[in-house]
Amino acid sequence: MKLKADCVSKQFQTTQAVKDLSFQVPSGSVFGLLGPNGAGKTTLIRMLLDIIKPDSGTILYDGNVLDGRMKEKISYLPEERGLYRKMKVADLLDYFARLKGLGLQQARSNRQRYLERLNMQETARQRIEELSKGNQQKIQILSVLVSEPEVVVLDEPFAGLDPINTRDTKLLLQEERSKGKTIILSTHQMNQAEELCDFVLMINEGRRVLYGALTEIVAQHSEDALLLDCSELPDHVAGIRHAVAEGRLTKIYTETGLSNSDLLRSLLDAGVVIRGFRPASISLERIFIQVVQQSSQGVAA
Amino acid sequence: MKKVWLVAAREYVSTVKRKGFVIATLGMPLFFMLIFGIAALVGLLTVNKSRNQRDVVGIVDESGLIDFALLPSVQSFHDRRTNQVLDDLANALGSQGEAMRTQMPGATSRVEFKVYRTRTTVELVPPLRGYYVVPADYLESGEIELLLKKGSFMADDRPGWRVVQSLVDASLAKDRVDETLVAGRLWMPPKLKAVALSETGQVAHRSVVDEVSRFAVPYVFTIFFMLSIMTSAGYLLQSVAEEKENRVMEVLLSSLTPDQLLAGKVIGLGGAGLTQILVWVIVGVFPSLAVAPFLDLRWSQLLVAIVFFILGFLLFGSLMGGFGSIGSNLKESQQTTMIWSLTAVVPLFFVSILIAEPNGTLARVLSYIPFTAPITMMLRVACGRVPWWDVALSALILAVSLLVFVRLAAKVFRLGVLMYGKRPSIFEIVRWLRAA
């Protein structure tokens, strides 16, 4: 385990920002940190970065209690961001890399490699304020990666990026993961989380409301149903318990024990034309809304 | 410590590259030279003007001792103030007053005027500014009365007094002292020529310019050091506020501790301030010394000033950075730190007292209060000799209090850097400090 939190709590004045939170972030995974606004995500991130200390509980990094020495191994991209506008791109990237403990030579060679990776070498001598907004955001993401940290904490990394830059950034993050880096991704964009994350932790009002491998969570919340793009169904087909229209698709609930192959065979026998089909898994966004509403009601009750 | 130096280097480089810094560093000496030039010119013009438009006063002689025939010669002596006149006057005393008057252009001619005086009012025709009365019992009393209308701000409060003195002395000497040179010397007041000696007994030449520089040097010196402290501290405040506003702060704090960050900023910007002073010394002090070697500046003074600059900057820089971190943007941060800037300039309110008495009680008291010590000590040291133990005591008090205030500033900084939204009140800050 790269990071392990055990019963971590933090209180500010009268606000309980984080309450008895436990979770583990496996090495080399993309770990989604989800939750509505004000759920305590920023406080949790600040504790993971050792910017603030938990009131109780422990956070372990590679099995050791988190302290200032681990700061060099974890990089952070905050949600609201800015850079030193007057600084040159190369100086800025070198500065952030060196603050993470890299030597000057190493910082320079990393900076060159990452700028080349995003085809931005020509911006090296430009001031930040001379770059387009999209390029500024890419430099910001590079400023986090350039020190080659073991763990990268990204708060809404895709906010404000156009679809092409979003795709480039995702590819970059997937490359980083394939190099063995651990990525903690805090986002409200559930489709992005669904696409990238291996594990998710959802918190609401400082408490854990959902946690585990993404595939398992989706399976747990999904219904045992198939979505079909097909011609109109006859009134009765063997093995079908219930069918409802969902847009131009049809959602079919089968009788218990019936396999998908048997269902398809039964439909074909009934003369139904099938253009496409897939299991009717629930989206992470639906799960998010359900879980947050349930947990808020639970807290309110 | 490596990270502290990284931050310091970045702060230093980004500050010395600022346009404002370059303009202040190179432009300030030029600006001051310009101001002093204008002031000197205005002063010169004012002096000339007041000389040309001398207040007209009269003399009423109730004693019968005054010989008004001597007035033109006496007057022209005071106008020309040359030893050459002495011979002329010696001759003039020999009843050649009338001749002298015609020989000297510009000498005052005698005008009759009338005085209408009651117990409460005095009217002069023509309307002079006032008049001297040499009373009938002058020889016994030795008193001369002056009745004078209030003049403008710059006006002389005893116009023509030296002329009157000389006229009285000349009138008394005339026909009573035989030797003309002695008679002339009697009414001509001796001129003082002061020769200053150093502690080792070496002769140093002093002049009127010395007296001016005695005031101007400490004043300019202190203003420059103070400006440097305050601008560097202001840059520190700006840098903290900027990083908070654009959230670079959080990225930085994921790499280093708030204490490292604050220390780096203070070192970097203190270095920028020292660079500024170095430039001022090179472009300001050296040329001044070359042009005006009488400017009595010693290296020890500069050294003490630099020590107090460093201590002063550490104090105000930390406080500005610490308390500036509470605001969410530059404007709020400036409001929060206003009190420290105001405290620093308190000694300037007493500048004339401090220059007049650099080792007086007020100077000492202000030197022992940490907030006023840096500027007061710079001023005192620039004024002249301050006992070494006094310098040491003030520096010691400042250094010890630095330990307390830097800690306080760091504590406030640790709390302030991550705080966004509503600006806390002073009571809330105190409460958090206690809780932290």
Side-chain angles (χ1 to χ4, degrees):
Chain A
M1 281 305 144
K2 200 73 207 170
L3 276 161
K4 186 176 176 204
D6 195 15
C7 290
V8 171
S9 294
K10 182 77 191 175
Q11 183 159 358
F12 296 109
Q13 315 287 322
T14 52
T15 315
Q16 184 75 50
V18 169
K19 175 90 178 153
D20 282 337
L21 213 51
S22 298
F23 61 91
Q24 299 184 348
V25 182
S27 296
S29 64
V30 179
F31 187 90
L33 180 56
L34 315 176
N37 294 325
K41 296 192 298 289
T42 306
T43 303
L44 178 59
I45 290 175
R46 284 178 178 173
M47 287 193 285
L48 293 178
L49 295 165
D50 196 41
I51 294 178
I52 52 175
K53 301 272 183 206
D55 295 336
S56 61
T58 50
I59 299 175
L60 301 178
Y61 185 96
D62 278 343
N64 301 309
V65 175
L66 190 73
D67 64 24
R69 285 169 300 169
M70 281 83 168
K71 273 184 188 280
E72 296 187 350
K73 296 175 179 172
I74 310 177
S75 270
Y76 174 46
L77 178 77
E79 180 181 0
E80 289 181 65
R81 35 197 117 114
L83 291 166
Y84 297 111
R85 297 179 53 76
K86 302 273 177 204
M87 233 173 152
K88 289 189 174 142
V89 169
D91 296 338
L92 181 109
L93 292 177
D94 292 354
Y95 179 59
F96 282 127
R98 297 193 67 202
L99 281 180
K100 289 287 179 198
L102 263 62
L104 186 60
Q105 289 307 319
Q106 185 65 47
R108 281 182 180 161
S109 92
N110 283 11
R111 175 246 298 170
Q112 270 168 355
R113 202 175 65 242
Y114 274 99
L115 282 177
E116 278 168 24
R117 167 65 188 77
L118 288 185
N119 273 327
M120 292 180 77
Q121 336 42 327
E122 77 286 356
T123 62
R125 302 315 308 166
Q126 284 180 300
R127 289 175 192 275
I128 297 293
E129 61 188 359
E130 293 165 3
L131 302 181
S132 70
K133 204 175 163 216
N135 276 347
Q136 286 188 15
Q137 285 187 303
K138 287 205 267 185
I139 293 299
Q140 237 153 5
I141 291 168
L142 288 194
S143 74
V144 177
L145 300 177
V146 74
S147 61
E148 302 220 298
E150 292 176 2
V151 178
V152 185
V153 182
L154 306 167
D155 200 349
E156 297 291 357
F158 309 111
L161 289 179
D162 65 26
I164 294 173
N165 282 330
T166 304
R167 185 200 62 195
D168 290 350
T169 308
K170 270 186 211 162
L171 284 174
L172 189 63
L173 293 183
Q174 276 159 352
E175 270 176 39
E176 293 298 312
R177 189 197 21 193
S178 66
K179 286 193 235 165
K181 300 205 176 140
T182 307
I183 297 171
I184 297 177
L185 183 68
S186 168
T187 182
H188 286 134
Q189 291 175 283
M190 292 301 136
N191 54 339
Q192 312 284 16
E194 209 162 2
E195 193 180 331
L196 292 167
C197 295
D198 305 309
F199 298 88
V200 292
L201 167 69
M202 195 182 291
I203 57 174
N204 188 28
E205 297 176 15
R207 289 179 170 81
R208 189 175 97 178
V209 290
L210 196 65
Y211 167 61
L214 183 67
T215 47
E216 284 170 24
I217 288 175
V218 171
Q220 275 166 20
H221 285 78
S222 294
E223 300 157 302
D224 198 7
L226 268 186
L227 273 175
L228 260 77
D229 183 0
C230 61
S231 61
E232 202 174 329
L233 294 183
D235 286 346
H236 182 77
V237 179
I240 295 184
R241 183 159 50 91
H242 180 53
V244 286
E246 241 188 46
R248 58 186 184 82
L249 302 179
T250 309
K251 193 187 231 179
I252 295 173
Y253 296 88
T254 53
E255 283 168 0
T256 320
L258 193 72
S259 73
N260 286 348
S261 309
D262 290 341
L263 173 72
L264 289 174
R265 195 171 295 122
S266 170
L267 284 166
L268 289 170
D269 290 348
V272 177
V273 179
I274 300 172
R275 288 179 289 270
F277 73 95
R278 63 183 164 87
S281 59
I282 190 171
S283 69
L284 190 58
E285 186 167 327
R286 295 258 312 265
I287 301 175
F288 180 93
I289 294 169
Q290 275 177 15
V291 169
V292 169
Q293 280 175 345
Q294 279 168 9
S295 71
S296 295
Q297 280 161 6
V299 171
Chain B
M1 200 58 202
K2 195 180 129 202
K3 289 182 184 176
V4 173
W5 289 114
L6 275 173
V7 174
R10 199 205 80 83
E11 293 290 343
Y12 179 85
V13 172
S14 67
T15 302
V16 298
K17 276 164 124 186
R18 276 169 187 258
K19 274 196 202 110
F21 184 85
V22 174
I23 291 171
T25 307
L26 298 177
M28 199 61 84
L30 295 175
F31 176 74
F32 263 83
M33 280 178 207
L34 196 72
I35 292 288
F36 272 88
I38 291 171
L41 198 67
V42 169
L44 209 64
L45 290 175
T46 318
V47 169
N48 278 344
K49 198 175 157 200
S50 64
R51 245 181 222 168
N52 293 337
Q53 301 179 343
R54 198 199 319 270
D55 288 321
V56 180
V57 288
I59 303 169
V60 172
D61 178 25
E62 292 173 353
S63 66
L65 292 166
I66 306 301
D67 180 357
F68 285 101
L70 295 172
L71 183 60
S73 314
V74 168
Q75 183 85 57
S76 60
F77 166 74
H78 280 285
D79 278 351
R80 287 170 62 187
R81 291 184 193 197
T82 60
N83 279 327
Q84 179 59 45
V85 187
L86 186 62
D87 300 331
D88 299 342
L89 286 171
N91 295 331
L93 283 168
S95 73
Q96 289 175 35
E98 293 301 311
M100 284 302 296
R101 193 178 67 196
T102 51
Q103 277 170 19
M104 292 188 178
T108 315
S109 51
R110 283 176 62 187
V111 178
E112 295 280 334
F113 71 100
K114 289 194 169 67
V115 180
Y116 301 97
R117 186 174 179 180
T118 66
R119 272 174 61 87
T120 52
T121 60
V122 174
E123 192 192 343
L124 299 173
V125 181
L128 308 179
R129 196 181 154 211
Y131 63 102
Y132 290 91
V133 181
V134 182
D137 63 347
Y138 173 71
L139 283 180
E140 289 81 40
S141 71
E143 276 179 1
I144 291 177
E145 194 182 15
L146 170 63
L147 292 96
L148 194 67
K149 286 183 199 158
K150 214 174 161 177
S152 66
F153 177 66
M154 296 288 285
D156 193 349
D157 62 347
R158 28 184 155 164
W161 169 235
R162 281 157 66 121
V163 175
V164 173
Q165 274 181 300
S166 297
L167 180 66
V168 172
D169 291 345
S171 301
L172 290 177
K174 193 190 171 194
D175 303 332
R176 292 188 181 86
V177 178
D178 294 336
E179 216 175 313
T180 50
L181 261 177
V182 175
R185 184 51 68 205
L186 261 183
W187 59 263
M188 211 190 69
K191 268 197 287 187
L192 186 67
K193 188 182 164 195
V195 177
L197 297 178
S198 72
E199 275 178 8
T200 52
Q202 282 175 318
V203 177
H205 295 285
R206 292 191 77 92
S207 66
V208 181
V209 192
D210 288 8
E211 296 306 307
V212 176
S213 73
R214 206 172 72 87
F215 182 84
V217 169
Y219 196 68
V220 173
F221 193 76
T222 310
I223 289 273
F224 269 56
F225 270 83
M226 191 197 73
L227 273 178
S228 191
I229 289 188
M230 295 329 278
T231 47
S232 307
Y235 281 139
L236 205 157
L237 175 71
Q238 210 173 325
S239 134
V240 171
E242 195 183 310
E243 280 170 4
K244 251 196 99 171
E245 208 171 344
N246 66 20
R247 312 278 169 148
V248 172
M249 189 64 85
E250 295 187 52
V251 179
L252 293 174
L253 292 180
S254 75
S255 301
L256 34 72
T257 64
D259 290 3
Q260 286 174 320
L261 183 61
L262 185 61
K265 281 180 184 299
V266 170
I267 293 173
L269 288 162
L274 278 177
T275 307
Q276 192 166 51
I277 283 176
L278 193 70
V279 172
W280 285 345
V281 167
I282 291 168
V283 303
V285 174
F286 287 132
S288 304
L289 287 178
V291 176
F294 51 81
L295 288 179
D296 192 16
L297 265 182
R298 284 182 301 274
W299 287 110
S300 58
Q301 287 175 313
L302 206 58
L303 189 74
V304 172
I306 285 176
V307 167
F308 276 88
F309 169 86
I310 293 172
L311 293 174
F313 177 78
L314 285 176
L315 180 70
F316 289 107
S318 316
L319 288 171
M320 291 282 209
F323 284 81
S325 72
I326 295 169
S328 295
N329 52 49
L330 183 59
K331 205 175 146 198
E332 277 189 16
S333 300
Q334 277 168 338
Q335 288 165 351
T336 327
T337 52
M338 185 82 82
I339 181 76
W340 306 119
S341 327
L342 288 178
T343 341
V345 297
V346 163
L348 289 190
F349 300 143
F350 305 107
V351 73
S352 48
I353 305 175
L354 295 178
I355 290 179
E357 286 184 56
N359 291 324
T361 311
L362 179 70
R364 289 227 154 90
V365 170
L366 290 177
S367 306
Y368 303 149
I369 300 171
F371 297 107
T372 50
I375 307 244
T376 310
M377 280 314 291
M378 283 176 198
L379 201 60
R380 289 181 62 190
V381 166
C383 282
R385 300 222 166 264
V386 177
W388 69 265
W389 58 265
D390 215 358
V391 178
L393 184 61
S394 172
L396 186 72
I397 293 175
L398 188 53
V400 170
S401 59
L402 256 180
L403 295 178
V404 177
F405 284 108
V406 168
R407 274 189 184 172
L408 173 77
K411 212 168 174 182
V412 175
F413 189 75
R414 283 197 285 271
L415 285 171
V417 280
L418 292 173
M419 199 185 289
Y420 288 96
K422 188 177 92 60
R423 186 153 49 107
S425 70
I426 188 82
F427 300 108
E428 283 174 300
I429 297 169
V430 172
R431 207 170 61 226
W432 293 339
L433 286 176
R434 279 199 187 138

